[in-house]
Amino acid sequence: MKEIKVIGHKVPDTDCTLSAIIMADFLEKKWYKSEYFIQWKLNKETEFVLDYFWIEVPKIKTSFEAGTRVCLVDHNEKTQSLDNLEELEVEWIVDHHKFDFKSKSPLYIKAEPLCSTGSILYKLYKENNFEISTKIANLILTCILSDSLLFRSATTTKEDTLIAEELKQISDIKNIDEFAMKMFDAKSDLWDISVLDLIKYDYKEFNFNWKKAWIGTLETTNPNYALWRKKEILEWLKTIKEKDNLNFIMLSIVDILNEKNTTIILDEDAKIISEVFNTEVNDNLADLKNRLSRKKQIVPELNKYFENNNI
């Protein structure tokens, strides 16, 4: 029986964390001996979900022994993966993002433009005629609710909503609206979180035409809490940019209930935001309107900008 480690991206969110748990179950059914891990501490939404379903918090690992067989879920880019990815044997990737992965050998890849990795895992179970238990149905449905922001995000497809409806028949989650709001309220409980952790709540690093960009998102039902701390956030954004030699950095505060994106931006990056999203920056704030999806509504536009501008 082959051993394999399953892990999501550097800053774990709910879809990433639960997908690792689900994928480990799937691989056990494929006769692997699997273990799942996270790369950093969890946000409060994911903590709430694991506690709700009585699941122990996964162990944190940022590297494995050279030659270890791994499965990457909810990511494939090197900047978001394990520290020593080049030394590992990537055997599986399950993801719903754009691909930037070079393989040394053939591997199994399951990727589709669905709103969550959980949705893709649902299809993997179905394609292999594997039974979906109540526990796995709970986790997949939670992935969809989290990543789609209760079907508000532009990443949500008709297929995601159909999968969610089918999962409701198996899951213990009967009132998905009520459950999703409990998740979002947990995510928005930020009173005891440092400004640095608030900024790193959900960030990803990207390489746009050899330019390093750091794009953070804070999805919340209480955007004013973060906006009240704008001065501190700007100081930390400046520090992070200089420390990590970034070419660009931004933090979007996403108001889940009102479907509105207010982005905090440094003075030196304001011109880029203005040009890319055709908006003004006032007092280091940019109104990005209803752009709730980093993957679909922010990253592609920034990528296009950096490809067309040698800055």
Side-chain angles (χ1 to χ4, degrees), residues 87-264:
E87 300 176 349
L88 308 176
E89 183 181 340
V90 180
E91 186 155 327
W92 282 82
I93 297 177
V94 183
D95 195 12
H96 64 139
H97 298 92
K98 70 181 182 70
F99 261 73
D100 183 19
F101 184 82
K102 293 184 179 180
S103 171
K104 296 177 289 187
S105 58
L107 70 154
Y108 299 101
I109 296 176
K110 179 67 172 177
E112 294 191 35
L114 299 178
C115 83
S116 76
T117 302
S119 300
I120 301 171
L121 287 165
Y122 172 88
K123 297 183 73 172
L124 266 179
Y125 275 78
K126 288 293 187 179
E127 290 165 7
N128 285 270
N129 294 314
F130 291 159
E131 179 183 359
I132 297 177
S133 66
T134 299
K135 173 186 174 180
I136 295 300
N138 289 339
L139 300 185
I140 297 176
L141 182 54
T142 300
C143 289
I144 296 171
L145 296 177
S146 176
D147 259 24
S148 73
L149 295 179
L150 190 54
F151 312 117
R152 291 173 166 88
S153 174
T155 60
T156 310
T157 70
K158 181 64 176 176
E159 191 167 11
D160 291 302
T161 60
L162 291 173
I163 290 172
E165 284 299 319
E166 291 182 22
L167 288 167
K168 279 176 63 179
Q169 309 308 312
I170 313 170
S171 170
D172 290 326
I173 307 170
K174 300 309 177 187
N175 188 329
I176 61 175
D177 293 67
E178 180 182 299
F179 179 73
M181 289 312 303
K182 288 181 179 178
M183 288 168 50
F184 300 154
D185 285 344
K187 181 187 292 190
S188 304
D189 180 12
L190 304 172
W191 69 270
D192 60 343
I193 292 180
S194 70
V195 170
L196 181 58
D197 281 350
L198 185 150
I199 293 171
K200 290 188 171 184
Y201 209 66
D202 180 9
Y203 81 91
K204 289 184 178 179
E205 185 179 309
F206 297 88
N207 189 322
F208 298 139
N209 193 26
W210 303 103
K211 302 295 188 298
K212 287 175 65 177
W214 194 97
I215 303 174
T217 302
L218 179 66
E219 297 167 346
T220 177
T221 58
N222 181 18
N224 286 333
Y225 183 81
L227 294 173
W228 287 332
R229 305 177 78 176
K230 183 186 69 173
K231 182 179 178 181
E232 296 172 89
I233 289 172
L234 286 167
E235 291 171 355
W236 271 109
L237 290 179
K238 182 73 172 176
T239 299
I240 293 168
K241 186 177 183 182
E242 292 174 354
K243 178 178 177 294
D244 292 355
N245 296 314
L246 302 174
N247 300 97
F248 176 82
I249 189 168
M250 62 179 277
L251 175 66
S252 287
I253 312 301
V254 173
D255 183 340
I256 299 171
L257 299 181
N258 294 304
E259 301 183 31
K260 177 179 171 61
N261 179 331
T262 303
T263 290
I264 300 176

Side-chain angles (χ1 to χ4, degrees), residues 63-69 83-90 104:
S63 64
F64 291 110
E65 184 179 342
T68 298
R69 187 178 290 108
D83 293 343
N84 65 331
L85 186 65
E86 300 93 338
E87 300 176 349
L88 308 176
E89 183 181 340
V90 180
K104 296 177 289 187

Side-chain angles (χ1 to χ4, degrees), residues 285-296:
L285 296 178
D287 181 5
L288 298 196
K289 305 188 186 315
N290 64 342
R291 291 181 174 89
L292 308 186
S293 170
R294 172 174 51 200
K295 178 178 72 173
K296 195 166 185 177

Side-chain angles (χ1 to χ4, degrees), residues 13-25:
D13 57 15
T14 298
D15 184 42
C16 157
T17 303
L18 300 192
S19 289
I21 297 171
I22 298 161
M23 187 62 186
D25 177 81

